[in-house]
Amino acid sequence: MELKSRKDVAVELTWDLSSIYAAEEEMYRDVEKMKQLCERMVQDYKGKLDSPQRINACLDDYREMERLGTLTGTYCDLAVSVDYYNTYHQERNEKLSRLASEISSRLKFIESEIAEQEESVLQEAIAIAVENKLFLQDILRRKPHQLHPETERALAALSQTIYAPYQIYNMAKLADMKFDSFMAGGKEYPLGYSLFEDNYEYESNTAIRRTAFDLFSKKIREYENVTAAAYNTQVQTEKTMASLRGFSSVFDSLLFPQKVTQEMYHRQIDLITRNLAPHMRKFARLLKRIHKLDRMTFADLKITVDPGYDPKVTIEESRNYIEKGLAVLGEDYVEMIRTAYRDRWVDFAQNAGKSTGGFCASPYGKNSFILLSWNERMADVFTLAHELGHAGHFKSCNHSQSIFDTNVSSYFVEAPSTMNELLMAHYLLKTNPDPRFRRWVLSCMISNTYYHNFVTHLMEAAYQREVYRIVDNGGSVTAETLNRIMKETLQNFWGEDVEISDDAARTWMRQPHYYMGLYSYTYSAGLTIATQVCRRIEREGAPAVEDWKKVLAAGSTLDPTGLAQLAGIDITTDTPLLDTIAYIGEMIDEIAALTDALGF
């Protein structure tokens, strides 16, 4: 038994990219517009950005270039993401990427020339700007790290090469790795990247789950050296860029665009690693007891507390759950959810060559596109609610802000998504007073929402920090080094309660986040904000919801501290994070108490 090819998937399970372009020819017409606009901008503005009026006129055209680039790039990239075996789409995407690099290189003079102007000119340009104001302010902020114009132009021309490590990683993972089926209990089971991560990791049958883990690990182990080489190239490039731009460390360079401090970054990793570990070890011991496991291994950490109470959920049933669960956000939000199902914003299909996990792309001026692989589990409902959180966020900020003001800091960007998971769980808790149902919902919050964001991604972040420390000190990393760091990271967190094997150490091979800068830690940062806002909504109702809507509409007009403050949360202190960790501990304690009371 094998996963279907993309061409054999039912169309109703796929997303509809025609809402971006009805046909490929329309996309190519926009490509021609980009080429023509680039030529005109070079002719009209190069060497002439010396007045506030001309600067703003240029940026008005630049916004249009950003819009066209976003639409064409998203259209091509999304087609590849659902089928890495499709060479036509791969070649088209590569061709467009080369064009985007060329245009970026030719237009790099814009930021360089603006940055070279006297501050008085820039301040006047900011004063008369409307949709370009924050873009200009960011140029001023980046000015100390700006390189010579020719250097900036050359780097822009090399952008496709600079981002090649991520492409190499995806090709190895999604195109080259072919998994054989396996036998367990006398039955044959198919195996694939998404099948393992979205299905077998949650499998209640221990023999199937552990066999899948062993064989999945055996396959990815064959690619550990090329994957390590791609990752080392990524981090060495980031270190080089940090040094070129005058940052004292790669951490400062990667946190600069997020507009957060190293203190905020290290706090997330240090406090969670230290304070959450005892609670999660208790949860691991509870899972071991409930499932009567001979030992608790890394492969067992995602099983549910009550597999007999984990109902299958159809796609249609998921809509009912999500509409009701997120109704507190208002009728406009619920209508967006209905539209997402009706107009095929979501790619539910399971097929060979499809990207793993889930994501949401929200091109400016168009609807969102959500990728996941539907396995009829409640975990999928939470994942879809999560991605709809991104969709709702960018629907609001894209409608309210200039395209320049929708680049929300990654420190905050996971708050609206994880907020939806929490709202879903709180809704479910109110629908049924049965103790077993309550235990199931609480365990969904722990094993899905909090485990995913406060454990899985936090362990990635702790591992990633050690890698960057090596690189910052002039070192490099190999597969052996990366295996060691990940194994030590997991052992430090789980202690003696979970067996961490050499295969578990290769978890670093499975995440694309390492090619996105310091992104992994932001999941816990966003969920910390979401937890506090959700609890505020529980206490205060409508006023808290209205504040949250203002936050969603604000886009990048505020930094993460300002966005959290608008939602009524102060993230400049340890308090929100410590409160969230304590809240997780309380839920685990209640799950344990309910388990004992119910006689499990």
Side-chain angles (χ1 to χ4, degrees):
M1 180 179 175
E2 300 289 340
L3 282 175
K4 291 182 178 179
S5 297
R6 183 68 181 182
K7 63 181 176 61
D8 297 325
V9 170
V11 68
E12 61 269 19
L13 298 177
T14 67
W15 54 28
D16 181 11
L17 298 185
S18 70
S19 62
I20 306 179
Y21 294 110
E24 186 179 46
E25 291 74 18
E26 288 187 14
M27 186 272 292
Y28 279 118
R29 283 197 287 272
D30 272 359
V31 168
E32 289 304 312
K33 287 180 185 178
M34 290 167 62
K35 293 177 181 177
Q36 293 168 15
L37 180 57
C38 178
E39 291 294 336
R40 183 174 66 78
M41 291 177 71
V42 171
Q43 181 177 343
D44 290 353
Y45 301 118
K46 191 169 186 178
K48 304 171 185 177
L49 294 176
D50 54 2
S51 73
Q53 293 75 19
R54 191 171 289 274
I55 286 171
N56 274 295
C58 177
L59 292 182
D60 289 342
D61 284 336
Y62 198 36
R63 289 202 317 277
E64 174 62 6
M65 182 65 81
E66 286 283 295
R67 187 186 72 83
L68 292 172
T70 298
L71 294 181
T72 55
T74 302
Y75 182 79
C76 293
D77 190 59
L78 291 181
V80 171
S81 70
V82 294
D83 188 3
Y84 270 81
Y85 296 157
N86 189 311
T87 55
Y88 176 80
H89 287 158
Q90 281 188 34
E91 290 169 1
R92 184 180 67 179
N93 199 38
E94 286 292 313
K95 182 179 178 181
L96 192 69
S97 295
R98 287 193 296 271
L99 174 65
S101 296
E102 179 185 342
I103 290 175
S104 177
S105 177
R106 295 194 67 194
L107 297 184
K108 203 63 183 178
F109 74 87
I110 296 172
E111 288 190 44
S112 296
E113 286 191 26
I114 293 174
E116 288 175 338
Q117 301 306 309
E118 295 291 333
E119 187 165 339
S120 60
V121 175
L122 291 182
Q123 292 295 356
E124 186 178 346
I126 290 170
I128 66 172
V130 179
E131 295 183 273
N132 306 324
K133 183 176 181 179
L134 291 178
F135 186 89
L136 288 165
Q137 289 176 340
D138 279 341
I139 287 180
L140 267 177
R141 181 171 177 263
R142 291 193 300 269
K143 191 171 182 177
H145 305 288
Q146 193 81 9
L147 302 176
H148 186 278
E150 281 304 303
T151 305
E152 293 287 357
R153 186 193 66 78
L155 288 173
L158 288 168
S159 61
Q160 189 178 19
T161 302
I162 290 171
Y163 295 128
Y166 183 39
Q167 180 70 5
I168 293 168
Y169 167 78
N170 273 327
M171 292 299 289
K173 172 181 175 179
L174 301 172
D176 285 350
M177 287 189 197
K178 303 293 193 299
F179 295 84
D180 296 326
S181 58
F182 66 94
M183 299 295 295
K187 185 177 178 182
E188 185 177 9
Y189 295 88
L191 184 60
Y193 230 108
S194 61
L195 270 177
F196 174 74
E197 293 195 334
D198 298 330
N199 195 332
Y200 294 125
E201 280 201 298
Y202 303 92
E203 171 62 51
S204 59
N205 184 300
T206 300
I208 296 173
R209 182 179 66 254
R210 289 182 178 174
T211 302
F213 177 79
D214 290 343
L215 295 177
F216 175 84
S217 301
K218 181 181 179 181
K219 174 57 66 173
I220 67 172
R221 190 188 315 146
E222 296 172 8
Y223 294 80
E224 68 176 359
N225 291 310
V226 68
T227 307
Y231 182 39
N232 185 57
T233 303
Q234 172 75 21
V235 295
Q236 297 298 337
T237 300
E238 288 168 336
K239 175 58 179 175
T240 299
M241 293 301 298
S243 299
L244 283 173
R245 295 194 179 280
F247 288 98
S248 59
S249 78
V250 70
F251 294 103
D252 290 330
S253 173
L254 295 175
L255 290 171
F256 184 82
Q258 295 182 14
K259 299 183 179 179
V260 297
T261 64
Q262 278 208 43
E263 179 187 6
M264 295 167 71
Y265 164 71
H266 291 298
R267 175 194 297 143
Q268 288 296 129
I269 298 174
D270 292 336
L271 286 185
I272 294 175
T273 300
R274 182 176 68 246
N275 291 25
L276 183 62
H279 298 302
M280 293 309 302
R281 291 176 188 181
K282 179 177 181 178
F283 188 67
R285 292 193 297 270
L286 182 64
L287 287 175
K288 181 182 178 183
R289 174 165 67 89
I290 290 171
H291 288 267
K292 298 179 174 59
L293 299 176
D294 56 336
R295 65 196 197 284
M296 190 68 186
T297 74
F298 186 79
D300 304 320
L301 285 170
K302 291 189 177 181
I303 54 179
T304 63
V305 165
D306 194 346
Y309 209 85
D310 192 13
K312 295 288 186 181
V313 183
T314 66
I315 292 172
E316 183 59 32
E317 288 169 339
S318 74
R319 181 171 66 176
N320 182 56
Y321 276 120
I322 293 174
E323 284 184 19
K324 291 179 178 177
L326 302 182
V328 67
L329 296 176
E331 181 56 33
D332 286 347
Y333 204 97
V334 173
E335 183 56 33
M336 180 203 72
I337 295 167
R338 295 188 186 115
T339 304
Y341 279 87
R342 184 185 66 239
D343 293 351
R344 289 172 49 210
W345 293 13
V346 187
D347 201 278
F348 294 99
Q350 289 191 35
N351 62 263
K354 183 176 179 179
S355 292
T356 59
F359 67 73
C360 175
S362 301
Y364 193 82
K366 300 292 183 179
N367 59 263
S368 291
F369 297 88
I370 294 169
L371 179 143
L372 51 81
S373 295
W374 193 258
N375 289 281
E376 296 192 326
R377 285 191 165 91
M378 184 55 71
D380 300 324
V381 181
F382 280 90
T383 298
L384 183 50
H386 176 108
E387 300 304 341
L388 284 166
H390 289 305
H393 182 194
F394 285 98
K395 179 178 183 292
S396 183
C397 78
N398 287 356
H399 176 75
S400 304
Q401 307 297 339
S402 156
I403 192 171
F404 284 162
D405 302 335
T406 59
N407 187 23
V408 181
S409 169
S410 57
Y411 185 94
F412 178 84
V413 80
E414 294 297 339
S417 52
T418 52
M419 163 72 96
N420 277 14
E421 294 186 56
L422 298 179
L423 291 175
M424 279 290 305
H426 282 263
Y427 158 75
L428 291 171
L429 287 172
K430 295 173 184 174
T431 62
N432 190 334
D434 178 68
R436 190 176 181 187
F437 181 82
R438 181 175 180 84
R439 173 178 175 260
W440 172 69
V441 174
L442 290 173
S443 66
C444 283
M445 292 176 72
I446 296 299
S447 60
N448 293 318
T449 301
Y450 285 103
Y451 185 93
H452 186 69
N453 297 286
F454 263 66
V455 180
T456 297
H457 292 319
L458 198 281
M459 291 297 96
E460 293 172 15
Y463 149 87
Q464 186 183 40
R465 182 170 64 173
E466 295 309 308
V467 172
Y468 281 123
R469 282 172 172 168
I470 290 172
V471 171
D472 241 358
N473 289 319
S476 61
V477 291
T478 63
E480 182 180 358
T481 307
L482 298 174
N483 289 337
R484 175 183 57 78
I485 295 172
M486 180 56 83
K487 189 169 187 178
E488 290 174 355
T489 299
L490 293 171
Q491 287 174 331
N492 289 340
F493 186 82
W494 292 108
E496 299 298 320
D497 292 297
V498 179
E499 180 183 297
I500 304 299
S501 65
D502 289 341
D503 283 339
R506 291 183 175 85
T507 305
W508 65 268
M509 295 180 63
R510 292 165 49 186
Q511 289 295 350
H513 300 130
Y514 307 130
Y515 299 85
M516 304 172 187
L518 294 176
Y519 188 40
S520 295
Y521 90 101
T522 65
Y523 281 89
S524 65
L527 183 51
T528 299
I529 295 169
T531 300
Q532 299 305 308
V533 175
C534 186
R535 300 186 81 181
R536 186 181 164 219
I537 289 174
E538 290 289 307
R539 294 191 305 268
E540 302 175 26
V545 171
E546 290 306 308
D547 284 346
W548 186 240
K549 289 181 180 180
K550 294 175 186 175
V551 172
L552 298 182
S556 57
T557 60
L558 296 171
D559 64 17
T561 300
L563 290 169
Q565 187 175 33
L566 185 58
I569 311 300
D570 181 7
I571 59 172
T572 64
T573 72
D574 294 354
T575 302
L577 182 52
L578 291 175
D579 182 77
T580 300
I581 293 171
Y583 178 59
I584 296 170
E586 291 168 7
M587 283 192 285
I588 291 173
D589 289 344
E590 185 173 356
I591 292 168
L594 287 169
T595 298
D596 292 338
L598 291 166
F600 284 96

